[in-house]
Each structure stands twice: as structure tokens, then as C-alpha cells.
């Protein structure tokens, strides 16, 4: 296994709609292993394949922070089956390090996908797992949590982010979408 570099906003791969996995081959298995290791090392509670430069529909999650691996979940081609309620909580993202904002999401979701053996699994989630699932599935659509904050908050974020990137020596014409 190896650690993968995490794509940082505004890397265009984060805006790409991920493709369905048709064949869970060795390259996908390797990707999954590396994503799990990268997520745990970061540390994060979820990672979508776009975030490591591979726009395919694979996400890994592990919301049991106290015991890494205990809540490990691998989902391929996940689909939202149903959703209920609303909840607001503070979110962050490994691709937007150091920035956190309040996001409104469904309180409960049912998600269906394949596990890494290709078996269909259905997950009924609430709390942190529900939020993490929605956050990671957004990534597969090229969507980020900053798309779900208020226009004013997003403006402030973009100004701050441009300044941060400038300080890190990024291209001055860099455009934040
Ligand atoms: Ni994220």
C-alpha cells in the first residue's frame, strides 16, 4: 500500500463527475487500499477517489475515530435511495485543508452501492455517517461543501483561499470556481 497525494482545491479533478466502476479489477482494489491508508494517515473520516486524482465512483469512510478501521466502509457506485429530515453541522474537507463551515444536509439517508467484493450493500445512516456519506457522494458529482454554504460565506472563503494560495506561491491568475 502507499499514500496518495490529495488533490487540493481548486484542482480541476475535484470538479469532475466521476465515472461508474464497471469492473472491480486489481487497479480498483489497489486504489481502495491506498485510499484507506491515505484517509487514515491524513487523518480523515472519508475520501472520494477524485480527491486522489482518480475520477471514478469509489468512496471510503471511517467515522469511528477512536479505533481506526472499526467503522471502515468501502462503497463503489453509491446511490442515494432515500433521505429524510434536515441537519446542520460543521464540515471540513481534506481537499480544502484548514477551512470549516456549517452545512445543511439530510439527517438520515439510505445509500446503496457495491462493496469491494462486488456485493450490493445498503446502508441506513444517521448522524456523522449520514453527513460523511453525503459529503463523499457530492465529491463524485464534482461538488464540494463550499458549494453548499451561503454566497456571502463563499465570497469570504474565496478571498481567504486566494490569499493563502498566493502566499504559498501559486499562479497569480489561478481562478477559483
Ligand atoms: Ni471532502
Amino acid at each position: 500500500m502507499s499514500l496518495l497525494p490529495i488533490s487540493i482545491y481548486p484542482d480541476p479533478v475535484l470538479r469532475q463527475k466521476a465515472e461508474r466502476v464497471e469492473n472491480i479489477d486489481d487497479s480498483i482494489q489497489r486504489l481502495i487500499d491506498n485510499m484507506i491508508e491515505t484517509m487514515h494517515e491524513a487523518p480523515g473520516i472519508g475520501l472520494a477517489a477524485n480527491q486522489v486524482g482518480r475520477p471514478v465512483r469509489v468512496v471510503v469512510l471511517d467515522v469511528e475515530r477512536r479505533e481506526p478501521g472499526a467503522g471502515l466502509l468501502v462503497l463503489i457506485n453509491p446511490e442515494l435511495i432515500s433521505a429524510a429530515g434536515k441537519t446542520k453541522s460543521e464540515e471540513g474537507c481534506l481537499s480544502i485543508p484548514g477551512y470549516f463551515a456549517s452545512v445543511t444536509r439530510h439527517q438520515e439517508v439510505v445509500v446503496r452501492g457495491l462493496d469491494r467484493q462486488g456485493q450490493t450493500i445498503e446502508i441506513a445512516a444517521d448522524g456523522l455517517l449520514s453527513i460523511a456519506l453525503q459529503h463523499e457522494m457530492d465529491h463524485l458529482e464534482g461538488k464540494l461543501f463550499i458549494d453548499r454554504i451561503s454566497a456571502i460565506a463563499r465570497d469570504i472563503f474565496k478571498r481567504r483561499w486566494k490569499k493563502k494560495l498566493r502566499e504559498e506561491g501559486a499562479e497569480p491568475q489561478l481562478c477559483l470556481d
Side-chain angles (χ1 to χ4, degrees):
M1 290 201 279
S2 52
L3 291 176
L4 303 170
I6 295 175
S7 306
I8 302 298
Y9 177 79
D11 189 322
V13 74
L14 297 171
R15 290 308 192 183
Q16 250 175 281
K17 188 174 152 75
E19 279 180 26
R20 281 180 68 83
V21 174
E22 301 300 344
N23 182 14
I24 308 172
D25 57 14
D26 286 352
S27 123
I28 293 291
Q29 295 291 357
R30 225 173 10 252
L31 173 67
I32 291 169
D33 285 337
N34 292 339
M35 282 173 66
I36 293 168
E37 195 185 358
T38 303
M39 169 179 69
H40 282 149
E41 170 71 22
I45 60 169
L47 192 65
N50 323 35
Q51 290 181 276
V52 291
R54 288 274 299 271
V56 293
R57 301 184 91 76
V58 174
V59 300
V60 298
L61 297 114
D62 191 353
V63 301
E64 299 287 332
R65 290 208 216 204
R66 273 171 300 182
E67 208 185 320
L72 187 63
L73 196 58
V74 174
L75 268 175
I76 299 165
N77 302 336
E79 278 174 61
L80 186 67
I81 300 301
S82 66
K86 287 268 174 276
T87 185
K88 198 169 185 176
S89 65
E90 193 91 333
E91 290 188 26
C93 180
L94 293 175
S95 294
I96 311 176
Y99 181 72
F100 301 88
S102 189
V103 179
T104 302
R105 302 227 182 238
H106 303 298
Q107 175 136 26
E108 294 169 33
V109 292
V110 176
V111 170
R112 191 184 295 153
L114 301 177
D115 66 13
R116 63 189 301 177
Q117 280 78 42
Q119 302 295 314
T120 298
I121 46 172
E122 203 167 279
I123 296 144
D126 63 3
L128 186 55
L129 180 58
S130 167
I131 291 160
L133 278 166
Q134 293 171 75
H135 178 115
E136 299 313 328
M137 287 169 69
D138 265 1
H139 273 300
L140 301 182
E141 301 304 318
K143 221 172 158 106
L144 299 167
F145 82 100
I146 51 166
D147 304 336
R148 296 189 179 276
I149 62 180
S150 72
I152 294 169
R154 196 161 46 242
D155 270 1
I156 296 168
F157 160 73
K158 284 186 180 174
R159 232 171 297 147
R160 256 211 274 165
W161 200 256
K162 270 186 188 162
K163 185 164 177 278
K164 175 183 142 90
L165 293 175
R166 258 200 316 270
E167 283 165 5
E168 288 167 358
E171 307 273 305
Q173 71 275 25
L174 199 68
C175 159
L176 302 188
D177 53 355

